[in-house]
Amino acid sequence: MKQNPPSRCPARGTHAAFTLVELLVVIAIIGVLVALLLPAIQAAREAARRMSCQNNLKQLGLACLNYESSRKTYPMGSTITNRRSTGATYNGLSWLATVMPYIEQANVSNIIDDRIEQFKRANNGNDPDIAYDPIFDDLNDSAIENYQCPSDNPTELYDSLNPRQAASSYVGVAGSAGSRAPDETPQSKENFGFHGSKSGFQGPVNYDGILFMGSKTKPKDIVDGTSNTLLAGERWYSLRGWAVGGYWTAGISSGGGPFGGQAPPTGPMDGQYGFGYKNIDRRYPINASLESVGFFVQHDNAKERVFASPTAPKTMAVNNLLFGSFHSGGANFVKADGSVHFLSDDLDVLIYEAMASKNGGETVNMQ
């Protein structure tokens, strides 16, 4: 009898394996998908950081409005110290410190007030130097989260002259009178309300904005409208500590006395240097290239975070240090009405300049 050959049934549970080519194709596809997703993830993260930055400025704008509701004026860009001697300068307190009770930082504000009074009692009523007197060292070294843009590197957010001190990403807008004036003649300065030169270390001393040394701006002073006038904005270049407002070196002649022959300034006078506030100048658009418009005149003396080529111009005055951010395409600003806006790098410089003035009489149309 003829026997049938045994049937050859495939073994159960066996599968064909991936070839090396197929595996490489799958890996390549996954790599392409990851490459496509990463920019989207980074963009989403930056959008969240930008929104957080806008919220910081919103809180600062509301703090200034609450300060005004309580005290009937916006805060001073910097307090004016009453202590001065030949060859010495003393930094006043920034508006960022004085609005602290209105951003749920009343405990820090109380410590600052107590230490100022403690210093004055021990020094015949003279004011301390907010930037350099040791009584403020621990406060100056402490970063305030609401004062720092999350798109900026926190390890680089420090005072350019005192790297131990934590800096702020936000400063007030002092005005644009020096930029709007056609020249630097006495008549032009008087008409536009500024002092100083447009060049040099100091730069113009503008009082046509909202926040400047000794400012006590009232809503009625903002004749251009609170919705048309900038209050504060972002900066990243040549930063100072968040508590440091600014100092003065020349004021009213007092004929001697405790101020070395000078009393503190009472208006836009030469010898005022702002750190908690800055001018807006048409020469320095938002995020302008420093290699093109010029670095800070003392760039080489400060511990700056950006390299300047040996041939780069160093012409930007301390009061004119430009506004800018690490957000792509522009920077965030808060207006005097508390609204926050992202201003583009390519914003018309004349509009930008007009928005810095509270009483320039310009018509601002951002459409």
Side-chain angles (χ1 to χ4, degrees):
M1 180 182 293
K2 185 177 180 180
Q3 294 182 343
N4 294 324
S7 60
R8 300 192 177 188
C9 297
R12 292 185 178 182
T14 61
H15 299 281
F18 284 112
T19 66
L20 179 59
V21 172
E22 290 172 327
L23 185 60
L24 291 175
V25 169
V26 170
I27 292 174
I29 292 173
I30 293 174
V32 170
L33 291 175
V34 170
L36 292 174
L37 285 173
L38 279 177
I41 294 172
Q42 292 298 329
R45 288 176 176 173
E46 169 52 26
R49 289 192 291 264
R50 191 171 110 175
M51 185 176 298
S52 178
C53 176
Q54 290 174 333
N55 182 64
N56 287 343
L57 279 167
K58 182 69 173 179
Q59 296 306 312
L60 285 174
L62 292 176
C64 287
L65 291 174
N66 288 330
Y67 184 102
E68 187 279 324
S69 295
S70 174
R71 317 239 181 146
K72 308 308 177 187
T73 72
Y74 286 85
M76 294 182 183
S78 172
T79 59
I80 304 177
T81 55
N82 70 350
R83 185 179 86 170
R84 183 176 185 273
S85 61
T86 303
T89 55
Y90 301 90
N91 289 284
L93 192 65
S94 168
W95 65 282
L96 290 167
T98 56
V99 301
M100 280 189 150
Y102 305 98
I103 59 167
E104 298 184 355
Q105 293 281 355
N107 57 326
V108 180
S109 177
N110 291 336
I111 293 173
I112 292 173
D113 291 343
D114 289 344
R115 292 190 185 179
I116 290 175
E117 289 304 313
Q118 177 185 342
F119 185 96
K120 293 174 74 170
R121 285 195 301 269
N123 292 273
N124 300 318
N126 290 319
D127 287 321
D129 187 315
I130 299 301
Y132 295 105
D133 277 316
I135 194 171
F136 295 107
D137 281 351
D138 59 331
L139 293 174
N140 286 331
D141 295 348
S142 301
I144 307 298
E145 183 177 0
N146 298 80
Y147 293 171
Q148 297 190 334
C149 172
S151 290
D152 203 340
N153 185 341
T155 64
E156 296 180 354
L157 267 166
Y158 54 76
D159 189 301
S160 294
L161 299 179
N162 299 280
R164 283 187 53 195
Q165 295 184 8
S168 171
S169 302
Y170 313 114
V171 295
V173 175
S176 59
S179 177
R180 292 186 293 109
D183 52 48
E184 296 184 39
T185 62
Q187 186 62 45
S188 181
K189 291 184 178 184
E190 182 178 349
N191 290 341
F192 283 83
F194 80 98
H195 274 246
S197 170
K198 295 185 181 183
S199 59
F201 174 70
Q202 174 191 281
V205 176
N206 292 340
Y207 273 48
D208 63 321
I210 296 177
L211 299 171
F212 47 85
M213 183 171 288
S215 61
K216 293 183 178 179
T217 306
K218 298 179 180 179
K220 68 177 183 179
D221 299 327
I222 310 174
V223 296
D224 290 348
T226 57
S227 62
N228 295 323
T229 306
L230 298 177
L231 176 67
E234 291 188 84
R235 285 189 59 244
W236 63 266
Y237 175 54
S238 196
L239 301 178
R240 293 303 310 269
W242 60 267
V244 182
Y247 68 85
W248 63 276
T249 59
I252 305 297
S253 177
S254 64
F259 305 112
Q262 297 286 319
T266 57
M269 305 174 63
D270 292 348
Q272 298 176 48
Y273 305 83
F275 301 124
Y277 54 89
K278 295 295 177 185
N279 300 327
I280 282 178
D281 190 296
R282 70 179 68 173
R283 293 174 295 172
Y284 309 117
I286 300 168
N287 288 323
S289 165
L290 296 173
E291 288 282 345
S292 299
V293 302
F295 289 81
F296 177 32
V297 293
Q298 289 194 346
H299 177 92
D300 292 337
N301 298 329
K303 299 174 178 63
E304 299 296 356
R305 68 203 303 185
V306 59
F307 172 77
S309 64
T311 58
K314 298 179 179 64
T315 54
M316 193 183 302
V318 65
N319 288 340
N320 280 341
L321 288 169
L322 81 173
F323 289 79
S325 78
F326 286 96
H327 309 302
S328 177
N332 290 312
F333 288 78
V334 60
K335 293 184 178 180
D337 64 353
S339 61
V340 178
H341 302 265
F342 185 76
L343 301 188
S344 172
D345 292 346
D346 57 6
L347 175 68
D348 188 300
V349 290
L350 297 182
I351 293 177
Y352 181 47
E353 177 185 78
M355 295 170 70
S357 168
K358 65 178 179 286
N359 54 6
E362 309 95 340
T363 299
V364 176
N365 182 6
M366 295 184 63
Q367 301 300 321

